[in-house]
Amino acid sequence: MATFLYRLGRFSYRRRKIVGAIWLALVVLFGVGASALSGPTQDSFEIPGTESQEAFDLLEERFPAANAEATSARVVFAAPEGETLADPGHQAAVSDVVAELSAAPQVAQVADPFQAGTVSDDGTIAYAQVNYTVGFVDLTDEAQQALFDAADSGREAGLRVEIGGEAATDAEFGGGTEFVGVAVAAVVLIITFGSLVAAGLPLLTAILGITIGISAITAATGFIDIGSETSTLALMIGLAVGIDYALFIVSRYRHELSAGRDGEEAAGRALGTAGSAVIFAGLTVMIAMAGLSVVNIPMLTEMGLAAALTVGMAVVIALSLLPALLGFAKHRILGGKIPGLKVRDPEADDGTVTMGRRWARFIARRPVPVLILAALGMLVLAAPVTDLRLGLPGEGSLSPETTQRQAHDLVVEGFGEGFNGPLTVVVDGAGSADAQAAMDTAVATLRSMDGVAQVSPPMVNETGDTAIVNVVPDTGPVSSETEDLVHQIREQGQVLTEQTGASVAVTGTTAINIDFSEKMSDALVPYLSLVVGLSLVLLMVVFRSLLVPVKAALGFLFTMGATFGAIVAVFQWGWLNGLLGIEQTGPIISMLPIFLIGVVFGLAMDYEVFLVTRMREEHVHGSGPTESVVTGFQHGARVVTAAAVIMISVFSGFIFSGEDVIMQIGLALAAAVAFDAFVVRMTIVPAVMALVGSRAWYLPRWLDRVLPNVDVEGEKLTRFLADEAEQHELEPVRG
């Protein structure tokens, strides 16, 4: 492989105009395709195989006029202090708001609080349920603005009015964050290379890669259903790996130029060495992302496949377009230096004792104490993970300044926590001899259960074989007591089926969230086994070793443990809440473990491949066990540090967003990259490598014969170049 990449690097450098023109044409082609073929994103949330999804599908079949997928809002009214909504003026103001909402675009129905009985016992708080004719994705700006305008009308009349529900969500939240990431990356790259040209190339290739990837995803929306979050994940991962991969190749190219080689030869050697590591690092990330399909949740499957596509594009660009751009830059990549910024080539072998070399020597002299201390520290950080509780935070986890959070709190104050998360119980009497009797029995059973605050009369469909019963729990939608109640209702439903032949199922937002969390928990071990197992095989091929892949996987488990420990301590226990601006503790979002495993495993294996490949390269080329660790670490540490700092800075920006879900993702990713890069890969890994010495590269002979030899460290390339040089020396003699 190294020899092939060497030739590819030289070809792209030499034919840079052709290669550049091809990629420019591809950017234009994909851009035109995205513009011409794109369709609307579809944020449908389906969880195949769960009771809540089956009940939801049944509702669509038996109650077609209800439009189960339609969005809704809840407008909450509160009377001024010392007054009640029964005051004629306040009651008239509420009626005016309801009338204004009824005339708003896309509104199907508005329930007047005084007619629907949704007024608190003391008369101070009431809410009106607003149902729309379309889902949230199809809700127009005019319809959403009409909702807010109606609330303003109530406020002008002297009432406190807050809005909750999906229709009140700001669909534009989070835009522009990627530009902050690019700016941070630019600063770190300039500090790393000390050159504007060298810093610009990784940014340029990464942006081109995500442009093509996002364009392809956008074009695909015209043919298949793709959620709006899909392109966001693809952009984030594509930007991260695109910068990383180009960073390593550009660093190696600068080293080859500094060694006196011409541009074409330097590009070939850079690709023949660092390029091999890029391929296998990219494959590892792609495995992790594509592996999300094992969870069998369409939303995660499409997100994973889209991210894998973008990573693949980043690899191809790094191996083909980047050498062409190096050809355009030539030796200018060593110039354009920033005045006053002194930067040393991290790949140089001039005898200078760098900070990275000092750290590696320190670890190599004391591997056992360093290993014990680092491992114990990670275990201590991981201790809170035993209290990990998964769920999907609702409006109660939003910032207290938002109208959704204030609406949530008013409902809790006036009616109780359970009114923010009612359960929808579907009674299917099609298989019962007496459907009405089965429905009555179901309602009576629900009313007798502990933890139930209110049970509505059954709403029966036109054929009389199916009923909807709304159940309000005593507790909130994210509490463990509500989860227990859902399971109890399902157990009682099985008893009812045996008695009457009617089936009972629980659905609604709260039940769907519970089922989603449980499905994510059940998928965690299979997903982790798949990703780690396939990557172990891949790393075994890369490093020709049994120990190194196992060490890499165990190090990743350390990272995950410490990361989840940190987010439990912050978001469940409340540590550092004041510093981070977190107003309320709650469960960890249920998709975070799967999401983190996929993203962080890919980035972690990037650092593992780039660092340990250099160690193996030194070992193969004759260095002793300890010296190969020290020298390989010195060569890779600076660029790995730069890559990690870029990612940490970008992810940390999300911590102060004020949105609970975004804050959790931001903190988890930033902490994971910090733990993995600086504790696992740059402390534990060199300690283990120094401790085991040459035994790190042991591979049984039978396994050595079975596994393909891909020559990541460039041993065959070295022989190829030596033979080529010898042939050139002999040619004049033969002539």
Side-chain angles (χ1 to χ4, degrees):
M1 178 181 288
T3 305
F4 167 76
L5 292 175
Y6 167 78
R7 290 170 173 160
L8 176 62
R10 295 193 61 171
F11 171 83
S12 296
Y13 186 98
R14 187 169 59 252
R15 305 294 185 188
R16 49 189 172 273
K17 292 183 179 179
I18 297 175
V19 174
I22 291 173
W23 277 107
L24 181 60
L26 286 173
V27 171
V28 174
L29 179 64
F30 276 93
V32 171
S35 177
L37 303 175
S38 64
T41 55
Q42 301 292 333
D43 288 315
S44 59
F45 189 72
E46 297 182 355
I47 317 173
T50 61
E51 179 178 307
S52 57
Q53 183 64 51
E54 292 172 354
F56 188 84
D57 295 340
L58 183 65
L59 285 180
E60 289 189 312
E61 176 188 339
R62 304 285 176 87
F63 291 85
N67 193 1
E69 292 188 350
T71 190
S72 64
R74 176 180 283 177
V75 181
V76 186
F77 304 90
E81 188 173 352
E83 302 179 29
T84 70
L85 294 172
D87 179 277
H90 297 329
Q91 188 167 348
V94 171
S95 298
D96 289 343
V97 172
V98 170
E100 186 175 344
L101 288 169
S102 299
Q106 298 181 308
V107 171
Q109 180 185 8
V110 183
D112 186 295
F114 296 100
Q115 297 177 9
T118 53
V119 181
S120 63
D121 292 338
D122 60 5
T124 60
I125 298 173
Y127 68 84
Q129 190 71 22
V130 184
N131 296 320
Y132 287 85
T133 58
V134 296
F136 177 68
V137 175
D138 298 318
L139 190 68
T140 63
D141 293 339
E142 292 78 12
Q144 195 171 44
Q145 187 59 49
L147 175 65
F148 294 121
D149 290 343
D152 289 338
S153 298
R155 294 180 186 119
E156 291 172 1
L159 300 178
R160 180 183 175 190
V161 184
E162 306 296 345
I163 310 171
E166 187 181 35
T169 303
D170 182 4
E172 300 299 321
F173 174 79
T177 306
E178 60 272 14
F179 297 110
V180 177
V182 171
V184 173
V187 172
V188 175
L189 288 169
I190 289 171
I191 294 173
T192 302
F193 290 126
S195 165
L196 292 174
V197 177
L201 287 182
L203 287 174
L204 177 60
T205 54
I207 291 172
L208 287 175
I210 59 177
T211 298
I212 294 176
I214 299 301
S215 296
I217 295 168
T218 303
T221 58
F223 304 95
I224 57 176
D225 292 343
I226 295 180
S228 57
E229 302 91 349
T230 301
S231 58
T232 303
L233 176 62
L235 185 148
M236 179 177 64
I237 302 302
L239 182 63
V241 300
I243 292 175
D244 278 6
Y245 299 160
L247 175 64
F248 282 96
I249 292 175
V250 169
S251 177
R252 193 61 181 256
Y253 174 75
R254 281 162 55 92
H255 168 65
E256 298 295 339
L257 285 182
S258 301
R261 296 185 175 89
D262 63 54
E264 183 178 332
E265 181 67 16
R269 287 177 180 257
L271 217 64
T273 50
S276 299
V278 164
I279 288 178
F280 282 94
L283 284 174
T284 306
V285 182
M286 293 173 71
I287 288 172
M289 292 291 94
L292 287 172
S293 58
V294 305
V295 184
N296 194 29
I297 293 179
M299 178 186 70
L300 288 180
T301 299
E302 66 188 34
M303 289 171 69
L305 293 177
L309 169 68
T310 309
V311 171
M313 187 62 64
V315 172
V316 174
I317 285 178
L319 298 180
S320 58
L321 179 60
L322 182 56
L325 295 177
L326 294 174
F328 287 113
K330 296 185 178 177
H331 282 70
R332 286 191 297 275
I333 202 167
L334 298 175
K337 295 188 179 298
I338 310 300
L341 186 61
K342 223 176 154 182
V343 177
R344 178 186 170 277
D345 177 12
E347 300 273 356
D349 293 315
D350 56 9
T352 304
V353 180
T354 63
M355 184 180 297
R357 190 172 185 86
R358 290 193 191 97
W359 178 245
R361 281 180 175 174
F362 171 79
I363 293 175
R365 285 196 300 268
R366 305 171 181 84
V368 175
V370 168
L371 183 59
I372 293 175
L373 186 62
L376 285 177
M378 295 292 274
L379 289 174
V380 170
L381 289 170
V385 80
T386 56
D387 193 35
L388 176 66
R389 185 163 61 90
L390 299 178
L392 287 178
E395 293 181 339
S397 301
L398 297 177
S399 171
E401 288 75 29
T402 62
T403 186
Q404 296 99 315
R405 170 65 181 275
Q406 293 182 43
H408 172 278
D409 292 345
L410 283 176
V411 170
V412 171
E413 179 185 341
F415 303 93
E417 293 183 354
F419 280 80
N420 280 307
L423 306 174
T424 301
V425 178
V426 182
V427 183
D428 180 9
S432 173
D434 189 343
Q436 185 60 51
M439 296 172 192
D440 294 340
T441 302
V443 171
T445 302
L446 291 169
R447 286 176 175 160
S448 66
M449 294 180 67
D450 294 334
V452 173
Q454 180 179 307
V455 178
S456 71
M459 182 175 67
V460 185
N461 67 343
E462 293 181 359
T463 58
D465 61 356
T466 308
I468 298 175
V469 182
N470 290 317
V471 177
V472 177
D474 287 331
T475 51
V478 298
S479 70
S480 57
E481 290 84 356
T482 301
E483 183 177 345
D484 292 339
L485 177 62
V486 170
H487 291 303
Q488 290 171 15
I489 293 174
R490 288 172 174 170
E491 290 173 1
Q492 289 297 316
Q494 294 175 1
V495 175
L496 183 69
T497 300
E498 295 173 359
Q499 294 175 348
T500 66
S503 63
V504 176
V506 186
T507 188
T509 302
T510 301
I512 288 173
N513 290 346
I514 290 171
D515 287 347
F516 179 77
S517 299
E518 291 180 351
K519 185 151 189 174
M520 297 299 289
S521 298
D522 293 341
L524 189 59
V525 172
Y527 176 67
L528 185 61
S529 302
L530 173 70
V531 171
V532 173
L534 290 177
S535 297
L536 280 174
V537 175
L538 193 62
L539 292 174
M540 208 176 296
V541 172
V542 173
F543 295 121
R544 319 298 299 174
S545 164
L546 287 176
L547 177 66
V548 172
V550 172
K551 168 192 59 62
L554 291 176
F556 173 71
L557 295 179
F558 270 122
T559 297
M560 285 292 94
T563 301
F564 285 121
I567 61 175
V568 167
V570 172
F571 289 99
Q572 287 186 206
W573 294 359
W575 293 9
L576 304 178
N577 273 13
L579 179 64
L580 298 176
I582 300 169
E583 302 290 343
Q584 180 171 317
T585 58
I588 306 304
I589 56 174
S590 49
M591 69 177 291
L592 190 60
I594 292 280
F595 176 81
L596 266 187
I597 288 172
V599 175
V600 177
F601 189 84
L603 294 177
M605 293 306 106
D606 277 1
Y607 305 145
E608 176 79 14
V609 168
F610 288 124
L611 272 177
V612 181
T613 297
R614 287 311 308 266
M615 295 178 187
R616 176 161 175 80
E617 186 177 333
E618 295 298 323
H619 169 74
V620 169
H621 294 159
S623 297
T626 301
E627 187 59 27
S628 64
V629 172
V630 173
T631 305
F633 185 91
Q634 174 187 338
H635 288 323
R638 185 180 181 88
V639 284
V640 167
T641 300
V645 169
I646 289 171
M647 293 303 101
I648 293 169
S649 302
V650 172
F651 296 144
S652 295
F654 293 101
I655 297 175
F656 304 96
S657 68
E659 295 287 335
D660 190 73
V661 172
I662 303 298
M663 294 171 74
Q664 287 190 25
I665 292 174
L667 177 64
L669 287 173
V673 172
F675 292 148
D676 197 87
F678 298 116
V679 181
V680 175
R681 308 302 156 190
M682 301 181 73
T683 303
I684 293 178
V685 165
V688 172
M689 298 296 290
L691 189 63
V692 300
S694 58
R695 294 188 298 274
W697 312 114
Y698 168 74
L699 187 69
R701 290 183 180 178
W702 66 269
L703 191 55
D704 188 37
R705 289 191 297 268
V706 172
L707 294 176
N709 190 345
V710 294
D711 188 30
V712 174
E713 66 281 347
E715 182 182 6
K716 292 180 180 178
L717 175 61
T718 302
R719 291 200 301 268
F720 170 78
L721 294 174
D723 293 342
E724 202 174 54
E726 183 180 349
Q727 184 178 355
H728 285 312
E729 289 177 3
L730 293 176
E731 279 177 357
V733 177
R734 290 173 181 171

